[in-house]
Amino acid sequence: MGTMRSDSSARALETLGITLDEERAYRSLLSRRLASASDLSSTLGISTRATQRLLEALAAKGLATHSPERPRRYMPVQPEFAVEAIVSQRQAELERARAAIPDLKKHAAKRRDDAERGEVVELVTSRDAERRIFEQAQHAARHEVVTLVRPPLRVTRLDTPFEQDKQAQRTARARGVHYRSIVDADLLALPGAPARVRLESESGEEIRVFPELPFKIAIFDRRIALIPLNPHEPDGATLLVRSSALLDALYALFESLWERSTPLAFSSAGVPRIAKVSRVPDTAAKLLPLLAAGLNDKAIAHELDVSSATLNRRLAELMKGLDTRTRFQMGWRAALEAFPERAPPRTRSK
């Protein structure tokens, strides 16, 4: 059906959803008061079928009514009623749309927050995705990166050239990022691991050793963390944790382990050993070889020719100086301090 010509005032009703052709048919019907499709077709210059469709549209929009007989005869609804009713209906629809604005704003704000924060916890099942996230997080770091490292290794491999593997870390340190790592004692038993850890330490990373770490983690600026779900499975899934109370708790755990870990140093031959702790008094330091030899308190007191009370005081000084909290941990550190070359590799129970 072609578009019929009308004067410019016809466009006034288009905002109510009334087409130009429908308005012309309505105007023609207003001038007749009562007409069938065949009556109006000649006036409109279109076929009877096309006129019938226009009249049915007018009736559906409340601009006309029709008689029950066939063929139908259509009567116009007066403009003051028909147009006013359509305007009122449209106003009600607009008000309903306006009422949806607050809800839409909340939805938009939530989506923005989700886009900025992401989900608190996300499961990463692809190793490639894990590596990309690790690299992106390291590139975005501005303050600090802390890690718990234990075998088996995932993102960093011992057979990867050091310069290639540490390029991102070197770039991050240049912009002021501080690196701290706690390594599991078992890691130092892996072929090539001591040399690799020594290079990392010499490059500026602060490293301590802990007898047996419970899991692996990397935390970037206390904003994002990567945690392998099963540290024994190199290809297992990884949790991505974003800023939250959970991430704060994980960081607090790292700090607790850091306080209980031993600073790592290396001999001239590159052998890992406990860093010297200047806070240990000389009198307490004399306990180190005796503890490492496995002597009990009575034998140590006899060897040093001191009383039990003096021995307990010196043990307390040594424990404080080595930053340890248990006799077992102090003994372990004392053994490494006295005989670093004799510390045998341990086999972790599965």
Side-chain angles (χ1 to χ4, degrees), residues 93-294:
E93 293 171 350
L94 293 174
E95 288 302 321
R96 284 195 297 272
R98 179 177 292 165
I101 292 176
D103 181 65
L104 293 172
K105 289 176 65 178
K106 290 180 181 178
H107 181 74
K110 181 178 183 302
R111 296 305 300 172
R112 283 195 301 270
D113 291 343
D114 289 344
E116 293 173 358
R117 296 194 308 267
E119 299 297 330
V120 171
V121 178
E122 180 180 340
L123 186 64
V124 181
T125 58
S126 166
R127 285 298 304 279
D128 288 339
E130 177 189 354
R131 182 179 292 275
R132 286 195 299 271
I133 293 171
F134 185 93
E135 293 173 350
Q136 291 168 0
Q138 187 167 229
H139 178 73
R142 290 296 178 270
H143 306 291
E144 181 184 49
V145 177
V146 299
T147 58
L148 300 180
V149 186
R150 52 164 284 179
L153 300 178
R154 294 171 69 93
V155 176
T156 300
R157 297 183 180 274
L158 294 176
D159 55 1
T160 304
F162 178 78
E163 289 300 320
Q164 173 184 335
D165 191 51
K166 290 301 174 181
Q167 177 60 44
Q169 185 179 127
R170 185 163 50 248
T171 302
R173 284 200 306 272
R175 61 176 181 268
V177 179
H178 181 211
Y179 280 80
R180 289 188 294 157
S181 292
I182 304 175
V183 300
D184 189 291
D186 278 354
L187 180 72
L188 299 177
L190 297 177
R196 184 59 170 262
V197 172
R198 180 175 58 84
L199 288 173
E200 292 172 346
S201 177
E202 293 174 351
S203 70
E205 184 171 351
E206 192 173 354
I207 301 176
R208 293 187 179 186
V209 64
F210 193 79
E212 187 172 352
L213 291 173
F215 57 89
K216 295 189 283 191
I217 192 172
I219 304 176
F220 305 85
D221 284 345
R222 301 181 65 173
R223 294 177 54 253
I224 188 173
L226 289 171
I227 313 172
L229 287 180
N230 188 337
H232 298 292
E233 295 182 3
D235 295 322
T238 295
L239 279 183
L240 171 64
V241 182
R242 295 184 174 86
S243 296
S244 60
L246 173 59
L247 184 55
D248 291 341
L250 291 170
Y251 185 83
L253 176 59
F254 173 87
E255 288 291 6
S256 176
L257 291 171
W258 181 262
E259 292 176 0
R260 296 159 54 195
S261 298
T262 305
L264 190 63
F266 295 86
S267 67
S268 58
V271 177
R273 59 172 298 169
I274 300 298
K276 295 293 185 181
V277 183
S278 59
R279 292 176 297 171
V280 178
D282 291 340
T283 54
K286 293 178 180 180
L287 296 172
L288 290 174
L290 301 176
L291 288 169

Side-chain angles (χ1 to χ4, degrees), residues 38-86:
S38 59
D39 294 336
L40 288 180
S41 63
S42 58
T43 301
L44 298 176
I46 57 178
S47 67
T48 300
R49 179 174 295 182
T51 303
Q52 182 66 40
R53 285 198 296 267
L54 285 174
L55 291 172
E56 289 174 356
L58 294 178
K61 295 178 179 180
L63 294 172
T65 61
H66 60 79
S67 62
E69 73 272 6
R70 298 286 183 171
R72 289 176 174 174
R73 296 171 65 81
Y74 290 84
M75 295 166 288
V77 176
Q78 294 303 305
E80 62 270 28
F81 302 114
V83 176
E84 185 64 35
I86 297 175

